[in-house]
Structure formats: structure tokens, C-alpha cells
Amino acid sequence: MSHDPHRGDDTPERGAGPRFAGRGAKADPRNRFTAREVERDPDAFEPEDARPETRVHVDASKTVLARNQSPDVGFDVSVNPYRGCEHGCVYCYARPTHEYLGLSAGLDFERQIFVKRDAPALLRDALSKPSWTPRPIAMSGVTDPYQPLERRERVTRGCLEVLAEFRQPVSLITKNHLVTRDLDLLEELARHDAVAVTISITTLDDELRASMEPRTSSPARRLAAIRALAEAGVPVGVNVAPVIPGLTDPEIPAILAAAAEAGASFAGTVMMRLPHAVEEVFTSWLETRDPARARRILARIREVRGGRMNDGTFGSRMKGEGTYAEQVRALFRLSCRQHGLEGRPTLSAAAFRVPGHSVQPGLF
């Protein structure tokens, strides 16, 4: 078996379908903004050996802080070191962002990755400006900052070095054990109550994970990351997300129990949503992997989305609506109470500083 340096840290080559090994999407859905369509020659790849390579592009953005105005997202400023994500999660709501680049939300999203190599320098400049008001930053708001490519590119670590130097509060969310590589910086931020890490766990079934999230860390490795962070004194929680109605919602109690046992101190959850081309990517995956249950699962998804596959309405898009969605929320709340996961850490900007800038003492 050949080694692919861009695969997850412990991801087996299985479950991604016979045509594109190690990838979540089975094809490139049509880009809603362009007339370009891609049809792949069915004889172009050997069925058992196909592994579309990751292509790295340099993102030349001149700014690094993204502003969020969505009222149901828990942050207003974020840093995204990457565009696109090698993790290849079939349900990823961020897939349609690649369409703005003239690419596809399918295979392109997980193999055409744009790297913001200037992000640490841009972040330093932004935090040094007198106009910056210290407040928590989210990393990332779109794609995973610890996707496999980070092991080589180290852009996220570079940003964390800047954040630690400024004592700038940051919340991180990831599905990759690679976050533990940066324990030294996370511990430094934790000393100033300036960091919280959330590990997303969708399922404890590694076979399902390998098919649905092909280049992510295994559930066991994610729980190990929670344990390592907690033991280092870094506030860490679990995000049971996304909950896929009819498929993963029965696992909510077990996921929360395992995360609490590993040291998680808080928890969150998000109901799956399938905007634009994500519907095609997810449906294709589901009907290929589990045709016998696909119709029932899709019906459950429509049930929590008002009869549709997606509802982008602020307030309901993260949690769904209807009786079934409320049952899922009730199960989550009950499990959180049982395992002491109801609170959330408060990040502090009290220790923020601009390195090299002296602060004039106040007059008494």
C-alpha cells in the first residue's frame, strides 16, 4: 500500500467508494455560477486504485480576519487558514464556497486546497492596529484548521504563535488529533483564559466515519485528543455535529458519555444542513453506501427541515424544526445534564498586549 502524506493521521483506505479512494464526494456537481460541466471518463481510473491527488494553491488574500454577521453563529471574527478541506466530509456545509472560485463543491473542494501562507503575518498586522478591539477570534469559521495538509504547511500553528504572543483569545474547532501538536501554544493561551478547543465527533462507528469523513481522525483518536488537552489544562469540549437524523442521532448519549469520560467540560450540537450542491454530494454518498435505509434517512432530514433538504433560515438552520428535531434536542440536553457538560468557558481578553508596545500607566 502506498503512503499518501495528505491522508488523516490514522485513516484507513476504505469506505470512500470504489471510484475515488480516500475521498468523500463521488463526483463534481455542476457549479451553480458557471456553465462548465465535468464528465469523467469511467475508464479513466482503475476502480481499486483511483486516488485523486491533492493540489495546493497559494491564496493571495490581503486580509485574514473574516467578519461574521450571522446572528446564529457564536462569533463575529474568524481566521480561516485554508479554503477547501481534505477531510472530505460528505455533509460539509462549506463545500459550496468553492463554487465562488469557479470550482466544484464535490471533489474539487477536497482536493483543490488554497493555502493562506501569509496568514500569520497578516494576523500580526491586524492585531497590531489601534483599531483592533480585543475580542475572541474563531479558528476556523469555514474549513478545518487542522486538516491533513496542516501537518506540512503549519499555517495554523503560525497563527497560533501570533495569538499566543499577543495573548489574543481564540476558540478552535477540529476533527483532527493533530491539534495536540500545538499543546505548547494552547497551554500558554490557557494560562490567560484565552483559549477553548472543541473536538467534533459525529459518530463512534469508525467504519461509518471512514466512509463519511474519509480523511479525519478516528473517533478513538479524537477522544485521545480531548484527553490530552484536558490533562494539559486546556479547556476542551465536544461538538456532536452534525447530527444526521435517522443515522447518527441515536449515538448522542454515547458520544457525550465518552467525551465526558475523556475530560470534555462542555458540549454543543448542530443539526445537519445540506445547502446547494451539498445535497447532491450527501445523497449520492448515502444511496451508494446504504441504499436500503437511504429513503428513510432522507425522509427524516426533510422532516426536520420543513419538508425540504435544507433550510437556511436564521434561528432554525442550526437546530432544525418540528417534533423530531425537538426530540433530538431533548436527548442532547438530558445527556449533557447527566455528564456535567452544560456550561461553556468564557474567554478573556484582559491579558491582550501588542508585543513591543509599552502601555502608559494610569494617573492616580
mmCIF file of all heavy atoms in Angstrom, residues 76-100:
data_model
loop_
_atom_site.group_PDB
_atom_site.id
_atom_site.type_symbol
_atom_site.label_atom_id
_atom_site.label_comp_id
_atom_site.label_asym_id
_atom_site.label_seq_id
_atom_site.Cartn_x
_atom_site.Cartn_y
_atom_site.Cartn_z
ATOM 1 N N ASP A 76 -18.009 36.674 15.901
ATOM 2 C CA ASP A 76 -18.141 37.706 14.869
ATOM 3 C C ASP A 76 -16.862 37.927 14.080
ATOM 4 O O ASP A 76 -16.872 38.648 13.083
ATOM 5 C CB ASP A 76 -18.636 39.030 15.466
ATOM 6 C CG ASP A 76 -17.693 39.601 16.509
ATOM 7 O OD1 ASP A 76 -16.666 38.968 16.817
ATOM 8 O OD2 ASP A 76 -17.993 40.693 17.022
ATOM 9 N N VAL A 77 -15.751 37.298 14.515
ATOM 10 C CA VAL A 77 -14.492 37.401 13.785
ATOM 11 C C VAL A 77 -13.850 36.017 13.723
ATOM 12 O O VAL A 77 -13.831 35.287 14.713
ATOM 13 C CB VAL A 77 -13.512 38.385 14.461
ATOM 14 C CG1 VAL A 77 -12.235 38.528 13.624
ATOM 15 C CG2 VAL A 77 -14.162 39.742 14.676
ATOM 16 N N SER A 78 -13.322 35.652 12.561
ATOM 17 C CA SER A 78 -12.695 34.337 12.421
ATOM 18 C C SER A 78 -11.461 34.420 11.537
ATOM 19 O O SER A 78 -11.269 35.375 10.786
ATOM 20 C CB SER A 78 -13.682 33.311 11.836
ATOM 21 O OG SER A 78 -14.050 33.669 10.517
ATOM 22 N N VAL A 79 -10.628 33.397 11.638
ATOM 23 C CA VAL A 79 -9.453 33.225 10.789
ATOM 24 C C VAL A 79 -9.569 31.871 10.116
ATOM 25 O O VAL A 79 -9.785 30.850 10.780
ATOM 26 C CB VAL A 79 -8.149 33.293 11.603
ATOM 27 C CG1 VAL A 79 -6.951 32.950 10.712
ATOM 28 C CG2 VAL A 79 -7.967 34.669 12.219
ATOM 29 N N ASN A 80 -9.429 31.844 8.798
ATOM 30 C CA ASN A 80 -9.512 30.607 8.030
ATOM 31 C C ASN A 80 -8.207 30.405 7.266
ATOM 32 O O ASN A 80 -8.009 31.027 6.218
ATOM 33 C CB ASN A 80 -10.690 30.663 7.059
ATOM 34 C CG ASN A 80 -12.022 30.794 7.767
ATOM 35 O OD1 ASN A 80 -12.580 29.823 8.258
ATOM 36 N ND2 ASN A 80 -12.537 32.023 7.844
ATOM 37 N N PRO A 81 -7.306 29.563 7.768
ATOM 38 C CA PRO A 81 -6.021 29.378 7.094
ATOM 39 C C PRO A 81 -6.118 28.700 5.731
ATOM 40 O O PRO A 81 -5.198 28.805 4.927
ATOM 41 C CB PRO A 81 -5.226 28.501 8.075
ATOM 42 C CG PRO A 81 -5.913 28.681 9.397
ATOM 43 C CD PRO A 81 -7.355 28.863 9.056
ATOM 44 N N TYR A 82 -7.219 27.989 5.484
ATOM 45 C CA TYR A 82 -7.355 27.212 4.244
ATOM 46 C C TYR A 82 -8.720 27.440 3.612
ATOM 47 O O TYR A 82 -9.708 27.692 4.302
ATOM 48 C CB TYR A 82 -7.194 25.714 4.528
ATOM 49 C CG TYR A 82 -5.866 25.357 5.140
ATOM 50 C CD1 TYR A 82 -5.715 25.252 6.521
ATOM 51 C CD2 TYR A 82 -4.741 25.128 4.336
ATOM 52 C CE1 TYR A 82 -4.491 24.926 7.085
ATOM 53 C CE2 TYR A 82 -3.513 24.800 4.894
ATOM 54 C CZ TYR A 82 -3.390 24.709 6.277
ATOM 55 O OH TYR A 82 -2.180 24.392 6.835
ATOM 56 N N ARG A 83 -8.755 27.324 2.290
ATOM 57 C CA ARG A 83 -10.007 27.227 1.545
ATOM 58 C C ARG A 83 -10.066 25.831 0.946
ATOM 59 O O ARG A 83 -9.134 25.402 0.263
ATOM 60 C CB ARG A 83 -10.073 28.278 0.441
ATOM 61 C CG ARG A 83 -10.175 29.713 0.944
ATOM 62 C CD ARG A 83 -10.380 30.677 -0.210
ATOM 63 N NE ARG A 83 -10.450 32.062 0.236
ATOM 64 C CZ ARG A 83 -10.700 33.097 -0.554
ATOM 65 N NH1 ARG A 83 -10.897 32.904 -1.842
ATOM 66 N NH2 ARG A 83 -10.735 34.321 -0.063
ATOM 67 N N GLY A 84 -11.183 25.165 1.137
ATOM 68 C CA GLY A 84 -11.256 23.759 0.799
ATOM 69 C C GLY A 84 -10.769 22.933 1.972
ATOM 70 O O GLY A 84 -10.114 23.456 2.878
ATOM 71 N N CYS A 85 -11.123 21.645 1.970
ATOM 72 C CA CYS A 85 -10.730 20.808 3.108
ATOM 73 C C CYS A 85 -10.531 19.363 2.676
ATOM 74 O O CYS A 85 -11.441 18.734 2.126
ATOM 75 C CB CYS A 85 -11.787 20.882 4.203
ATOM 76 S SG CYS A 85 -11.311 20.043 5.726
ATOM 77 N N GLU A 86 -9.350 18.849 2.946
ATOM 78 C CA GLU A 86 -9.017 17.473 2.592
ATOM 79 C C GLU A 86 -9.809 16.433 3.375
ATOM 80 O O GLU A 86 -9.853 15.276 2.976
ATOM 81 C CB GLU A 86 -7.532 17.221 2.836
ATOM 82 C CG GLU A 86 -6.604 17.769 1.788
ATOM 83 C CD GLU A 86 -5.189 17.290 2.034
ATOM 84 O OE1 GLU A 86 -4.571 17.701 3.039
ATOM 85 O OE2 GLU A 86 -4.705 16.480 1.221
ATOM 86 N N HIS A 87 -10.398 16.807 4.486
ATOM 87 C CA HIS A 87 -11.138 15.832 5.275
ATOM 88 C C HIS A 87 -12.225 15.160 4.447
ATOM 89 O O HIS A 87 -12.552 14.002 4.665
ATOM 90 C CB HIS A 87 -11.752 16.507 6.506
ATOM 91 C CG HIS A 87 -10.792 16.654 7.637
ATOM 92 N ND1 HIS A 87 -10.994 17.526 8.682
ATOM 93 C CD2 HIS A 87 -9.606 16.040 7.896
ATOM 94 C CE1 HIS A 87 -9.984 17.443 9.536
ATOM 95 N NE2 HIS A 87 -9.135 16.555 9.081
ATOM 96 N N GLY A 88 -12.820 15.890 3.520
ATOM 97 C CA GLY A 88 -13.757 15.287 2.580
ATOM 98 C C GLY A 88 -15.085 14.855 3.168
ATOM 99 O O GLY A 88 -15.730 13.939 2.631
ATOM 100 N N CYS A 89 -15.551 15.496 4.237
ATOM 101 C CA CYS A 89 -16.823 15.112 4.848
ATOM 102 C C CYS A 89 -17.967 15.323 3.850
ATOM 103 O O CYS A 89 -18.098 16.401 3.270
ATOM 104 C CB CYS A 89 -17.067 15.936 6.111
ATOM 105 S SG CYS A 89 -15.738 15.759 7.343
ATOM 106 N N VAL A 90 -18.778 14.292 3.672
ATOM 107 C CA VAL A 90 -19.782 14.328 2.608
ATOM 108 C C VAL A 90 -20.896 15.331 2.890
ATOM 109 O O VAL A 90 -21.623 15.727 1.964
ATOM 110 C CB VAL A 90 -20.385 12.930 2.371
ATOM 111 C CG1 VAL A 90 -19.326 11.971 1.864
ATOM 112 C CG2 VAL A 90 -21.052 12.383 3.633
ATOM 113 N N TYR A 91 -21.065 15.734 4.139
ATOM 114 C CA TYR A 91 -22.151 16.634 4.524
ATOM 115 C C TYR A 91 -21.682 18.074 4.699
ATOM 116 O O TYR A 91 -22.471 18.934 5.101
ATOM 117 C CB TYR A 91 -22.746 16.161 5.859
ATOM 118 C CG TYR A 91 -21.681 15.944 6.902
ATOM 119 C CD1 TYR A 91 -21.015 17.016 7.481
ATOM 120 C CD2 TYR A 91 -21.300 14.654 7.283
ATOM 121 C CE1 TYR A 91 -20.002 16.820 8.400
ATOM 122 C CE2 TYR A 91 -20.296 14.447 8.204
ATOM 123 C CZ TYR A 91 -19.652 15.538 8.763
ATOM 124 O OH TYR A 91 -18.641 15.340 9.675
ATOM 125 N N CYS A 92 -20.430 18.392 4.445
ATOM 126 C CA CYS A 92 -19.846 19.678 4.827
ATOM 127 C C CYS A 92 -20.582 20.863 4.211
ATOM 128 O O CYS A 92 -20.641 21.012 2.979
ATOM 129 C CB CYS A 92 -18.375 19.735 4.435
ATOM 130 S SG CYS A 92 -17.572 21.289 4.934
ATOM 131 N N TYR A 93 -21.113 21.726 5.072
ATOM 132 C CA TYR A 93 -21.867 22.894 4.608
ATOM 133 C C TYR A 93 -20.986 23.889 3.868
ATOM 134 O O TYR A 93 -21.489 24.762 3.145
ATOM 135 C CB TYR A 93 -22.532 23.603 5.795
ATOM 136 C CG TYR A 93 -21.550 24.253 6.745
ATOM 137 C CD1 TYR A 93 -21.107 25.558 6.522
ATOM 138 C CD2 TYR A 93 -21.066 23.574 7.854
ATOM 139 C CE1 TYR A 93 -20.187 26.156 7.375
ATOM 140 C CE2 TYR A 93 -20.161 24.163 8.712
ATOM 141 C CZ TYR A 93 -19.726 25.451 8.475
ATOM 142 O OH TYR A 93 -18.811 26.027 9.310
ATOM 143 N N ALA A 94 -19.651 23.794 4.041
ATOM 144 C CA ALA A 94 -18.739 24.756 3.412
ATOM 145 C C ALA A 94 -18.427 24.416 1.966
ATOM 146 O O ALA A 94 -17.818 25.221 1.255
ATOM 147 C CB ALA A 94 -17.440 24.834 4.214
ATOM 148 N N ARG A 95 -18.814 23.267 1.492
ATOM 149 C CA ARG A 95 -18.477 22.858 0.124
ATOM 150 C C ARG A 95 -18.854 23.908 -0.931
ATOM 151 O O ARG A 95 -18.072 24.177 -1.845
ATOM 152 C CB ARG A 95 -19.137 21.510 -0.210
ATOM 153 C CG ARG A 95 -18.451 20.303 0.421
ATOM 154 C CD ARG A 95 -19.141 19.004 0.039
ATOM 155 N NE ARG A 95 -18.432 17.825 0.545
ATOM 156 C CZ ARG A 95 -17.435 17.220 -0.089
ATOM 157 N NH1 ARG A 95 -17.038 17.679 -1.267
ATOM 158 N NH2 ARG A 95 -16.841 16.164 0.436
ATOM 159 N N PRO A 96 -20.042 24.528 -0.860
ATOM 160 C CA PRO A 96 -20.413 25.497 -1.902
ATOM 161 C C PRO A 96 -19.509 26.720 -1.973
ATOM 162 O O PRO A 96 -19.558 27.450 -2.974
ATOM 163 C CB PRO A 96 -21.847 25.894 -1.511
ATOM 164 C CG PRO A 96 -22.373 24.719 -0.758
ATOM 165 C CD PRO A 96 -21.191 24.233 0.030
ATOM 166 N N THR A 97 -18.670 26.976 -0.968
ATOM 167 C CA THR A 97 -17.774 28.126 -1.045
ATOM 168 C C THR A 97 -16.779 27.979 -2.178
ATOM 169 O O THR A 97 -16.278 28.980 -2.696
ATOM 170 C CB THR A 97 -17.015 28.328 0.279
ATOM 171 O OG1 THR A 97 -16.207 27.161 0.562
ATOM 172 C CG2 THR A 97 -17.978 28.550 1.439
ATOM 173 N N HIS A 98 -16.476 26.753 -2.577
ATOM 174 C CA HIS A 98 -15.544 26.550 -3.688
ATOM 175 C C HIS A 98 -16.143 26.985 -5.018
ATOM 176 O O HIS A 98 -15.404 27.243 -5.977
ATOM 177 C CB HIS A 98 -15.121 25.078 -3.748
ATOM 178 C CG HIS A 98 -13.669 24.864 -3.413
ATOM 179 N ND1 HIS A 98 -13.034 25.511 -2.379
ATOM 180 C CD2 HIS A 98 -12.707 24.086 -3.986
ATOM 181 C CE1 HIS A 98 -11.767 25.134 -2.321
ATOM 182 N NE2 HIS A 98 -11.543 24.283 -3.296
ATOM 183 N N GLU A 99 -17.451 27.054 -5.091
ATOM 184 C CA GLU A 99 -18.085 27.478 -6.335
ATOM 185 C C GLU A 99 -17.766 28.941 -6.644
ATOM 186 O O GLU A 99 -17.743 29.338 -7.806
ATOM 187 C CB GLU A 99 -19.594 27.263 -6.242
ATOM 188 C CG GLU A 99 -19.973 25.786 -6.159
ATOM 189 C CD GLU A 99 -21.467 25.562 -6.130
ATOM 190 O OE1 GLU A 99 -22.166 26.266 -5.379
ATOM 191 O OE2 GLU A 99 -21.950 24.671 -6.862
ATOM 192 N N TYR A 100 -17.509 29.741 -5.622
ATOM 193 C CA TYR A 100 -17.134 31.137 -5.845
ATOM 194 C C TYR A 100 -15.747 31.251 -6.481
ATOM 195 O O TYR A 100 -15.376 32.307 -6.996
ATOM 196 C CB TYR A 100 -17.158 31.913 -4.522
ATOM 197 C CG TYR A 100 -18.538 32.054 -3.938
ATOM 198 C CD1 TYR A 100 -18.947 31.252 -2.886
ATOM 199 C CD2 TYR A 100 -19.440 32.980 -4.451
ATOM 200 C CE1 TYR A 100 -20.221 31.377 -2.341
ATOM 201 C CE2 TYR A 100 -20.713 33.106 -3.915
ATOM 202 C CZ TYR A 100 -21.097 32.304 -2.866
ATOM 203 O OH TYR A 100 -22.355 32.425 -2.339
#
